């Protein structure tokens, strides 16, 4: 009887964490958009105990012991296979069974050896294909994981990391200080400008732009502890696609002709993903879609993708044993 009581208490705790208002909203929308697939995705999103975490190694603070420890714990490299773009210096470890590797604390003057992240976060970086000497803009950069990953891949000519929100901007600065050594840190410009204005302020200045847009973050929204905040978020959700469109327009202005742009979100929502990209393609005659299906094919061992997407986009669906995502990625080129 006692074990049954304890079990129910644990179930209750898990149940209590889930915000019913958000779940009901998602049920309605995603059943319509994803059909039967939503059931298995929902099972992962609402059960944090099956979430997985990837370990991105920091090439500026290398430790052979760390790799040995990870392998001994059953981790393996996440990115293998014939990827169109995979710098040898980008090393990330994952394992099939969920376990959270201990996070490292921020220590002034000491670089961290690794960054914990959702492995799907590396796909926008791989799609961007940054090369040494290119000028790069990370338009909505906080908390900084993708910026750190870009710097594992290449040494940009200039690297501009922007974050509009003050608090998140401080978080971004701390992340960069924790992972990037002194001489290189001087090449990074951190700003907190309104991303919608950067295109006008810095026209045709960058070879590559990453727009990891503010979105309805499906994972965290499901666990909103404040019902009022959750309800407000769901009301404001309708306005997000307009903001995302404006950020993309700005990013296109900031791109040099011939340069490319990657757009990403961590939501399953079609309104914030394919619809925004379609609107851009229909309204901007100077951009064209870029095929990223080869990249998706090369990592399909580790990630599950929604079928029926266009060749210039992909959507990572969380499933048990591959609990990465949601992550939407699309690539465009400026003519």
């Amino acid at each position: 009887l006692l074990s049954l009581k304890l079990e129910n208490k644990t179930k209750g705790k898990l149940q209590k964490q889930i915000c019913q208002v958000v779940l009901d909203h998602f049920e309605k929308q995603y059943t319509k958009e994803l059909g039967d697939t939503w059931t298995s995705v929902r099972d992962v999103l609402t059960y944090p105990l099956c979430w997985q975490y990837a370990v991105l190694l920091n090439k500026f603070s290398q430790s052979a012991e760390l790799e040995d420890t990870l392998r001994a714990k059953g981790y393996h490299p996440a990115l293998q296979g014939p990827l169109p773009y995979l710098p040898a210096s980008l090393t990330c470890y994952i394992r099939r069974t969920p376990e959270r590797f201990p996070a490292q604390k921020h220590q002034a003057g000491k670089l961290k050896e690794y960054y914990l992240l959702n492995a799907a976060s590396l796909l926008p970086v791989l799609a961007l294909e940054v090369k040494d000497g290119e000028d790069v803009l990370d338009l909505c950069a906080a908390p900084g994981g993708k910026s750190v990953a870009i710097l594992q891949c290449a040494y940009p000519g200039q690297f501009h990391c922007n974050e509009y929100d003050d608090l998140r901007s401080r978080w971004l600065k701390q992340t960069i200080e924790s992972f990037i050594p002194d001489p290189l840190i001087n090449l990074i410009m951190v700003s907190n400008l309104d991303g919608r204005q950067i295109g006008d302020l810095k026209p045709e200045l960058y070879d590559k732009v990453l727009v990891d847009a503010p979105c309805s973050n499906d994972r965290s929204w499901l666990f909103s502890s404040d019902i009022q905040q959750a309800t407000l978020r769901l009301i404001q959700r309708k306005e997000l696609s307009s903001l995302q469109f404006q950020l993309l327009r700005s990013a296109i202005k900031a791109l040099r002709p011939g340069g490319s742009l990657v757009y990403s979100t961590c939501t399953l929502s079609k309104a914030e993903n394919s619809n925004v990209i379609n609107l851009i393609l229909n309204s901007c005659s100077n951009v064209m879609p870029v095929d990223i299906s080869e990249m998706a094919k090369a990592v399909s061992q580790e990630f599950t993708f929604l079928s029926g997407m266009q060749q210039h986009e992909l959507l990572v669906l969380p499933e048990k044993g591959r609990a990465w995502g949601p992550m939407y990625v699309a690539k465009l080129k400026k003519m």
Side-chain angles (χ1 to χ4, degrees), residues 285-302:
S285 56
N286 61 342
V287 290
M288 61 178 285
V290 178
D291 187 344
I292 54 171
S293 58
E294 281 304 308
M295 178 186 84
K297 212 181 294 172
V299 295
S300 58
Q301 207 69 34
E302 304 294 353

Side-chain angles (χ1 to χ4, degrees), residues 109-158:
K110 192 173 190 294
L111 292 183
K112 292 185 181 182
E113 293 178 347
Y114 57 88
Y115 187 93
L116 297 182
L117 78 174
N118 184 321
S121 298
L122 294 177
L123 297 182
V125 174
L126 290 174
L128 198 59
E129 300 190 21
V130 174
K131 294 176 180 66
D132 289 348
E134 289 183 325
D135 296 327
V136 181
L137 167 63
D138 189 350
L139 192 69
C140 316
K146 292 180 184 73
S147 300
V148 166
I150 286 169
L151 290 164
Q152 302 303 313
C153 296
Y155 293 92
Q158 61 158 318

Side-chain angles (χ1 to χ4, degrees), residues 30-38 40-41 123 267-270 273-274 293 296 300 303-311 313-319 322 324-329:
Y30 294 147
T31 303
K32 202 158 66 183
E33 289 180 15
L34 301 171
D36 297 341
T37 314
W38 165 240
S40 57
V41 170
L123 297 182
T267 179
L268 298 160
S269 173
K270 202 175 173 186
N273 295 339
S274 300
S293 58
S300 58
F303 299 95
T304 302
F305 298 106
L306 180 67
S307 58
M309 300 293 277
Q310 310 250 3
Q311 289 185 313
E313 58 177 358
L314 57 87
L315 179 62
V316 179
L317 299 175
E319 69 171 23
R322 300 201 274 194
W324 314 115
M327 179 63 60
Y328 175 80
V329 184

Side-chain angles (χ1 to χ4, degrees), residues 18-35 38-39 41-42 45-46 215-224 230 233-234 237 240 266-269 272 326:
I18 292 165
C19 181
Q20 200 57 47
V21 181
V22 176
L23 185 58
D24 292 347
H25 181 89
F26 283 4
E27 281 287 356
K28 217 162 39 192
Q29 182 182 346
Y30 294 147
T31 303
K32 202 158 66 183
E33 289 180 15
L34 301 171
W38 165 240
T39 314
V41 170
R42 181 193 58 208
L45 290 181
T46 55
C215 66
S216 38
N217 184 327
D218 294 353
R219 276 189 191 232
S220 67
W221 281 24
L222 272 167
F223 294 89
S224 310
R233 275 174 170 172
L234 292 174
R237 190 178 202 208
L240 278 169
C266 50
T267 179
L268 298 160
S269 173
E272 297 174 51

Side-chain angles (χ1 to χ4, degrees), residues 104-259:
Q104 289 182 310
K105 286 203 163 56
H106 174 72
Q107 290 176 278
K110 192 173 190 294
L111 292 183
K112 292 185 181 182
E113 293 178 347
Y114 57 88
Y115 187 93
L116 297 182
L117 78 174
N118 184 321
S121 298
L122 294 177
L123 297 182
V125 174
L126 290 174
L128 198 59
E129 300 190 21
V130 174
K131 294 176 180 66
D132 289 348
E134 289 183 325
D135 296 327
V136 181
L137 167 63
D138 189 350
L139 192 69
C140 316
K146 292 180 184 73
S147 300
V148 166
I150 286 169
L151 290 164
Q152 302 303 313
C153 296
Y155 293 92
Q158 61 158 318
F159 191 24
H160 181 179
C161 298
N162 182 66
E163 176 54 52
Y164 186 42
D165 182 274
D166 271 343
L167 189 68
R168 286 172 64 82
S169 187
R170 287 204 290 276
W171 188 6
L172 169 66
K173 281 178 187 152
Q174 191 179 73
T175 302
I176 289 169
E177 279 166 22
S178 295
F179 286 90
I180 311 305
D182 256 351
L184 186 59
I185 225 165
N186 302 330
L187 300 176
I188 303 166
M189 176 177 129
V190 179
S191 66
N192 59 342
L193 300 164
D194 183 335
R196 292 169 292 189
Q197 293 164 4
I198 282 184
D200 290 324
L201 295 169
K202 298 180 180 292
E204 301 196 347
L205 213 65
Y206 304 99
D207 302 295
K208 302 278 164 76
V209 179
L210 174 63
V211 183
D212 186 43
C215 66
S216 38
N217 184 327
D218 294 353
R219 276 189 191 232
S220 67
W221 281 24
L222 272 167
F223 294 89
S224 310
S225 49
D226 181 339
I227 297 220
Q228 276 175 308
Q229 183 202 36
T231 312
L232 187 65
R233 275 174 170 172
L234 292 174
I235 293 165
Q236 291 171 337
R237 190 178 202 208
K238 294 184 186 77
E239 293 156 26
L240 278 169
S241 55
S242 166
L243 168 65
Q244 291 152 349
F245 177 77
Q246 288 169 49
L247 289 169
L248 273 171
R249 286 283 296 266
S250 173
I252 291 163
K253 284 182 186 173
L255 258 188
R256 291 185 178 124

